[in-house]
Amino acid sequence: MKALIDRIEAAIQRDVGRGMDAVFRTAQGGLCGAVHALADFHAPRIGLITGFFVPGGDPPAAETDGPAGAALLALGFLGAGLVCRLATDTVCASACRVALDRAGAELVPIDHLAPDAAVDGLVDRWRAEGIDWAIAIERCGPSADGRARNMRGSDISAHAAPLDRLFSAGPWRTIAIGDGGNEIGMGCVPRALIAEHVPLGELNGCVVPADFLIAAGVSHWGAYAVLAALALLRPDWAVALRAGLNPALDRAVVEAMVRLGPAVDGVTRRREHTIDALAMEVHHDVMAAVQAVRRGP
């Protein structure tokens, strides 16, 4: 089974020009560790954390990467009968709501927090809800000086709620999905390695670690990988999880986010039906590669 899951991980670890190959090597096995640990829980209660605001967008908005993948995960988890909720910034909440609703995960509640708000009440809420696992996907996190930055090196702390503190507050275990070195979870990777290989890595590298880091060429692909790999380990969840591996649904989620969220592509900063400047056909090639890894003959 490990070999199959490693093949899924290899399918999502395609560098798209960010110098992430060294990070991929360091994080190798993160997917296998994450899904095995998650599968060991009979009925985990899951908190998703996402949202990466693009202040220079036209218009300023959440990026498509992150909320779209979180919506696919939420659909799969709900279908498997699991409890799920999502936390994001106040400025990203509308895009996350649109993504969840279009994916068919409208029952997932959203906890949103302003950049200057205290996180303690949200931590208490998640503890009261019995959250077992926190999964961050494409969520900005603080670098060494405590500031959250985007891939251009711009400080976006004024737009980012301190959700890294929720992620790290426990007692839940943690999984992080990232693609550029500046996301929650990249604290698992030595800072010197990110500084050497990732553009602006010395400035941007997030220092917040996770129990399990899933590094991908695009964070969205990490959602595909979790759904496919977890389906291998939990046949009782498999049909529900694979419902999220639907190209038409995936496209519809992104299109709805752009139209109604609003949301923008984080690379082009425009309202386009793309993720990280890549057409959905590119993403769906990766989805097909992930789905091609199946258990048995």
Side-chain angles (χ1 to χ4, degrees):
M1 192 62 67
K2 180 181 184 301
L4 293 177
I5 295 172
D6 286 347
R7 283 172 55 194
I8 292 174
E9 186 179 57
I12 67 168
Q13 290 188 334
R14 305 179 186 179
D15 184 54
V16 296
R18 296 186 177 126
M20 287 288 288
D21 283 339
V23 176
F24 294 157
R25 288 191 293 272
T26 300
Q28 195 167 17
L31 175 65
C32 190
V35 294
H36 270 284
L38 192 55
D40 282 344
F41 277 63
H42 171 67
R45 302 173 74 89
I46 297 168
L48 297 166
I49 301 175
T50 194
F52 209 129
F53 193 69
V54 185
D58 182 17
E63 74 163 304
T64 48
D65 197 14
L72 299 183
L73 290 171
L75 172 66
F77 295 149
L78 280 185
L82 308 183
V83 171
C84 184
R85 60 191 307 118
L86 183 146
T88 192
D89 310 293
T90 299
V91 291
C92 294
S94 62
C96 290
R97 184 75 271 162
V98 168
L100 289 168
D101 290 354
R102 186 61 187 85
E106 61 274 1
L107 296 180
V108 173
I110 294 179
D111 303 308
H112 57 84
L113 199 68
D116 57 352
V119 75
D120 306 68
L122 187 47
V123 171
D124 291 342
R125 186 181 308 162
W126 277 32
R127 288 176 176 169
E129 291 290 335
I131 296 299
D132 300 305
W133 284 89
I135 303 177
I137 176 168
E138 187 63 12
R139 174 64 201 178
C140 58
S143 54
D145 64 0
R147 314 300 292 177
R149 292 183 173 85
N150 61 24
M151 65 179 185
R152 297 173 177 85
S154 300
D155 183 349
I156 62 167
S157 301
H159 308 282
L163 294 177
D164 59 287
R165 299 177 197 169
L166 172 65
F167 183 79
S168 303
W172 39 83
R173 301 192 73 186
T174 58
I175 297 169
I177 302 170
D179 63 18
N182 56 348
E183 303 92 357
I184 285 176
M186 289 294 172
C188 292
V189 180
R191 283 191 62 215
L193 185 146
I194 291 179
E196 179 181 357
H197 295 279
V198 179
L200 298 178
E202 176 66 29
L203 180 66
N204 294 346
C206 179
V207 298
V208 178
D211 292 328
F212 303 98
L213 170 64
I214 300 169
V218 177
S219 293
H220 193 64
W221 302 347
Y224 299 161
V226 169
L227 291 168
L230 197 52
L232 291 176
L233 296 175
R234 289 295 299 257
D236 52 330
W237 297 349
V239 171
L241 294 171
R242 289 179 180 139
L245 296 172
N246 180 326
L249 176 65
D250 195 24
R251 182 185 300 276
V253 168
V254 173
E255 289 178 350
M257 286 180 63
V258 172
R259 185 175 70 255
L260 303 172
V264 297
D265 184 299
V267 174
T268 69
R269 296 182 284 185
R270 296 190 296 266
R271 292 178 76 171
E272 299 176 322
H273 302 152
T274 54
I275 297 175
D276 283 2
L278 300 173
M280 294 308 296
E281 289 81 3
V282 176
H283 299 293
H284 295 157
D285 284 345
V286 175
M287 182 188 286
V290 162
Q291 288 181 295
V293 180
R294 289 297 183 98
R295 183 177 186 171

